[in-house]
Amino acid sequence: MLRHYRMFAAYNRWANAQFYAAAAELSDAEFRSDRGAFFGSLHRTLNHLLVADRIWMKRFTGTGEAPTTLDAILFDELDALAAARKAEDERIIAWTDGLDEAALAANFTYVTVVQPTEITQPLAPALAHFFNHQTHHRGQCHMTLTALGKPSLQLDLIYFLRTEGREWM
C-alpha cells in the first residue's frame, strides 16, 4: 500500500497542476462564477481542497495550519492559492515518502470539524479517504470548467501513468 499511496500523492500534484493551469486561463469573473458545484465556484472549490488537505495533514502529522471551517477562503487571489497548493502537494509527497507499513496500520486520533467528535482509526483508510476526497472535488472543478465552456481536462490516473507518472507503472 505504501507504493500505492505514494503514487496517489504524485498523481494529486500532477492533477492539481492541470487545474491551476486551466484556472490561470480564466477571467477573474469566470474563476469566481458559481456553476453549481458543492462550493459553487472554482475559486471556492480550490480553496476547499487546500483547506481539507491542511486539516488532514495536521491530523496526520500534528503540524501545520488547520482551518476551522470547510468553506474557509485561505487565499482570495489565484497566484497565492496556486503557490500554497504547490507547497502543500510537496508536503504531502514528502510525508507519504516517509511512511512505513507500521504507520499505515497504526491508529491515530483526531477531532472532526463539522460536528466535533473524537475519532480513532487506522491511518490507511483515512489516507484512502484523503486521496478520494481530492478526486471527488477535482471532479467538481472539472464540471465547473466545462460549464464555463472550457476544454475538458484529461485527468484519469492512466493519463498520469502514461506521461509524468511512468515510474509507477
Side-chain angles (χ1 to χ4, degrees), residues 39-145:
F39 288 94
S41 67
L42 191 58
H43 170 249
R44 294 181 63 79
T45 304
L46 291 176
N47 264 283
H48 168 71
L49 276 165
L50 183 59
V51 163
D53 286 359
R54 285 184 172 180
I55 289 169
W56 278 105
M57 288 299 289
K58 173 78 175 200
R59 292 171 179 170
F60 294 152
T61 69
T63 63
E65 298 177 35
T68 58
T69 62
L70 298 177
D71 62 351
I73 299 299
L74 300 178
F75 298 94
D76 199 47
E77 298 303 320
L78 178 60
D79 289 346
L81 181 59
R85 173 78 267 168
K86 186 175 181 179
E88 196 68 24
D89 288 343
E90 294 305 322
R91 179 178 179 221
I92 293 165
I93 288 170
W95 177 70
T96 57
D97 283 350
L99 290 175
D100 58 25
E101 291 294 340
L104 287 179
N107 284 339
F108 76 112
T109 300
Y110 61 94
V111 176
T112 58
V113 172
V114 177
Q115 296 177 346
T117 305
E118 188 173 277
I119 305 288
T120 298
Q121 70 178 88
L123 177 61
L127 195 51
H129 163 76
F130 177 71
F131 289 119
N132 186 64
H133 178 262
Q134 294 165 352
T135 300
H136 165 69
H137 283 295
R138 277 195 301 265
Q140 293 174 349
C141 291
H142 185 271
M143 178 279 306
T144 300
L145 286 174

Side-chain angles (χ1 to χ4, degrees), residues 3-35:
R3 182 170 168 75
H4 184 77
Y5 290 130
R6 290 173 182 153
M7 174 189 69
F8 274 125
Y11 167 71
N12 177 58
R13 175 180 57 192
W14 175 83
N16 284 334
Q18 307 305 307
F19 271 112
Y20 279 86
E25 300 295 319
L26 299 176
S27 70
D28 190 62
E30 289 172 322
F31 181 58
R32 296 171 193 284
S33 174
D34 187 331
R35 294 298 172 160

